[in-house]
Amino acid sequence: MCTVCGCEDKHGHPDSVAGNGALAVDKSVSRTLTLEKNILEKNNVYASQNRSFCYSKQILSLNFVSSPGAGKTSLLVDTINSLKSDFSINVIEGDQHTSNDADKIRATGASAVQINTGKGCHLEAHSVGHAIKDLQPAQQSLLFIENVGNLVCPAEFDLGELAKVLILSVTEGEDKPLKYPHMFRAASLLIINKIDLLPYVDFDMAQCVRFARQVNPSIDVICLSVKTREGVLPWFEWMTTQQTKMNREPD
Amino acid sequence: MHELSLCENIVASIEEAALKEHFNAVVVVHLGIGKLSCVEPEALRFCFDTAIQGTIAESTQLVIEIFPGLAQCNHCGANLEIENYYDACSHCESFDLKILGGEQMQIESLEVM
């Protein structure tokens, strides 16, 4: 999977060419090199490899993003328990520390790999590629990537997923789409979770959806409660629609 | 703080270019950052100083050119400049905008010796 760098992060230091007479440059003159290269090109190359692999095996890969505590892991556990008799499901868990979430996922019987990012605030496509290799997902399986809880940084890093699924809970406030526009712009689906708590919090659902569509007019929205399971069926149907779309439009 | 990650990527690109183009020092790095990208130029500068320590890019000057957010309104067809994704069309107030530019985060060029 890792054909770009051969998994060696250490690239040769340019000093090694300085002593080569044939290659020596005139140090008295500076020259301009045009690169026009995306800063995240390397990540994007790994992401493309991940995406091609998933397309080739018709694996539905979803990148779950949210602030900490919005209910990503609970949603995954419920989803796996509901779908595991029909699909092979693999999960990549991203957290700064601990393997708590991967342990919760494994308790459902699904395979999980935990990536600890240490001080890193997001997952990157390279480590996700390695995790995919470890998991060896089967043809037509589901691959769920649970990103680090953070509504800022994961927006910029393509992991090779088919879609980003953003989970927002009603305890967080309806103005989050305007406060974190990049993440809402990058997501294909907004899941508004914990709707069982609506009677106890001041959360304006209609306003939240308006704000989300102000930032991203094409975002899909599903409101549900993992706790009471109200609204989970449309979420499963949304995944089925994505699978159909993926099989119709190969990358 | 994904700006540190971005700076590490910039340094990696410079090191790669140095191997290919055979230079020993970088005088200036020119970046093009779109207003709609998720990059805070000041945070980028702060992290850049840390990321270049001990690399070929040490003591390189960072020049950031900011590009405006450009959009076309899907409702009235007007071309406009926007600051944020949540901005409305300045002509008809629709939020249904097609982004035409201003999302880039590019290494445009290097001045090398």
Side-chain angles (χ1 to χ4, degrees), chain A residues 14 18 23 25 27 30-33 35-40 121-122 124 153 156 178 182 185 214, chain B residues 1-2 5 9 13 21-22 24 36-38 56 86 95 99 105-113:
Chain A
L23 301 175
V25 292
K27 290 187 181 181
S30 74
R31 59 192 165 112
T32 302
L33 282 181
L35 289 191
E36 290 177 352
K37 185 177 173 183
N38 187 320
I39 295 174
L40 285 179
C121 45
H122 55 269
E124 296 193 9
C153 310
E156 283 295 346
L178 298 188
H182 292 93
R185 181 81 192 182
Q214 184 175 333
Chain B
M1 188 63 118
H2 60 290
S5 259
N9 277 277
S13 290
E21 303 284 343
H22 313 301
N24 302 308
L36 299 176
S37 75
C38 191
I56 189 175
Y86 49 77
F95 291 114
I99 305 298
M105 34 183 200
Q106 281 214 136
I107 309 172
E108 302 286 0
S109 64
L110 306 175
E111 285 171 41
V112 302
M113 293 206 305

